Amino acid sequence: MAFSWKHLVALFTLLSVAVASTASNESKESSNQTSRSSNETIGINQTSGNSTGLLVKSMSRGSTLRVINGCNEPMWIAHCCNYKYRQNVKIEAGASHDFPAYAGLMGFRLWPKLRCNSDGNGCRIGQSGGKGQPCGTDGNWRCQAHIDTKFEASFGGRRDYFDMSLVDGYTLPFKLKLRGCSVKGGTFWDCSGLRSDVCPRGNREYYNGRLLGCHARGRPGRGSRSYIDLVHQRCPRTYAYDLDDKNGNFNCPHGTTYELTFLCP
């Protein structure tokens, strides 16, 4: 078949369009690949960013004090000082409550109360006064002796410093378990043997004729010899007297959970 000049021009035009179309498609495919590559890179960056965010969030997570009522009756929890949390938290028998322990909370103190009125005051045990803690039980408005079993701590941005203080005495036995931290001597304190009936007779404290707990006696910050020996025997790794650091002073990374179980006296 003979081709005229017109036919050749038309054929040339068709070939040019085809080439252009192929080039365009290759360009689009290249662009799509670049876009996918870019998106994959962005995806990696975004994932990395989220992981970093989670890591930062995890690192900035505050500590937690989980209080468990290991007694067979309701318990109320009192605290001081400058803690931004409600007072007299009621915990039913066998239940627990998580208290947030945020960085910057210094000089914190917490103790248990038993046999209270519905508002968590007027307690037979633990109504020893303090900010937000009126004194008095059964019509006697004198403060009870400050012999409460106490958890004490200062929570920093990196480290927490804590102790179980029995310097003034004790009211309830307890167990303490660390989660997320290990210290010298282990992660578990079992002071369940520190009951009221093992208290030396001369150290027993009464209020309105009822046994309140065990008083350290002796001079302030330094109980009687029999009391200190009892605490060190039944409840080692606690403060039995002021500056009893070798036994009672510990620190953990901020973000630790302190699982504290109070038991019946």
Side-chain angles (χ1 to χ4, degrees):
M1 180 178 179
F3 286 93
S4 66
W5 176 251
K6 284 184 176 182
H7 289 146
L8 290 173
V9 170
L11 182 59
F12 181 80
T13 302
L14 288 173
L15 290 172
S16 299
V17 170
V19 170
S21 177
T22 301
S24 176
N25 289 337
E26 289 176 351
S27 177
K28 287 180 180 178
E29 180 62 24
S30 176
S31 176
N32 289 338
Q33 289 178 349
T34 302
S35 177
R36 284 196 298 271
S37 176
S38 176
N39 288 338
E40 288 169 358
T41 302
I42 292 173
I44 292 171
N45 289 339
Q46 287 175 341
T47 302
S48 176
N50 288 340
S51 297
T52 303
L54 290 173
L55 180 60
V56 170
K57 183 177 181 181
S58 176
M59 290 176 65
S60 62
R61 180 175 63 86
S63 296
T64 300
L65 176 56
R66 177 170 297 142
V67 178
I68 300 170
N69 181 357
C71 201
N72 56 7
E73 59 183 290
M75 181 179 296
W76 286 259
I77 301 298
H79 61 75
C80 84
C81 302
N82 303 313
Y83 184 41
K84 299 174 183 177
Y85 205 78
R86 68 183 186 276
Q87 276 284 13
N88 299 334
V89 174
K90 184 179 181 181
I91 306 177
E92 297 292 348
S96 66
H97 186 88
D98 285 1
F99 293 86
Y102 46 85
L105 176 58
M106 302 295 169
F108 172 77
R109 180 178 294 170
L110 176 148
W111 68 94
K113 305 198 295 181
L114 290 177
R115 297 150 203 170
C116 308
N117 298 332
S118 59
D119 64 352
N121 288 312
C123 308
R124 299 278 177 84
I125 294 177
Q127 202 67 45
S128 51
K131 186 177 181 180
Q133 292 289 307
C135 292
T137 302
D138 296 336
N140 181 355
W141 300 107
R142 175 177 56 86
C143 279
Q144 295 175 1
H146 296 266
I147 62 171
D148 310 285
T149 303
K150 294 182 282 288
F151 176 89
E152 300 179 328
S154 289
F155 300 95
R158 293 180 178 274
R159 307 293 298 180
D160 302 335
Y161 295 86
F162 71 96
D163 64 78
M164 293 299 303
S165 178
L166 308 175
V167 172
D168 301 314
Y170 66 83
T171 48
L172 304 188
F174 65 91
K175 296 179 180 180
L176 176 63
K177 173 70 177 178
L178 302 180
R179 299 194 181 277
C181 176
S182 180
V183 298
K184 184 179 180 181
T187 62
F188 184 63
W189 285 249
D190 185 353
C191 296
S192 56
L194 206 64
R195 303 181 311 274
S196 296
D197 60 1
V198 301
C199 178
R201 290 193 175 277
N203 294 82
R204 296 182 184 185
E205 181 73 19
Y206 293 86
Y207 186 90
N208 290 353
R210 298 184 180 90
L211 182 61
L212 178 64
C214 192
H215 199 300
R217 297 286 185 249
R219 64 182 186 273
R222 186 82 187 193
S224 65
R225 184 73 261 171
S226 59
Y227 174 81
I228 293 174
D229 290 343
L230 170 69
V231 170
H232 282 165
Q233 178 187 1
R234 298 263 180 169
C235 194
R237 297 194 296 149
T238 58
Y239 266 104
Y241 57 88
D242 281 350
L243 303 180
D244 193 9
D245 295 286
K246 68 177 182 179
N247 289 305
N249 190 18
F250 300 94
N251 68 86
C252 280
H254 191 60
T256 297
T257 294
Y258 305 87
E259 193 174 272
L260 176 60
T261 302
F262 286 116
L263 305 168
C264 285

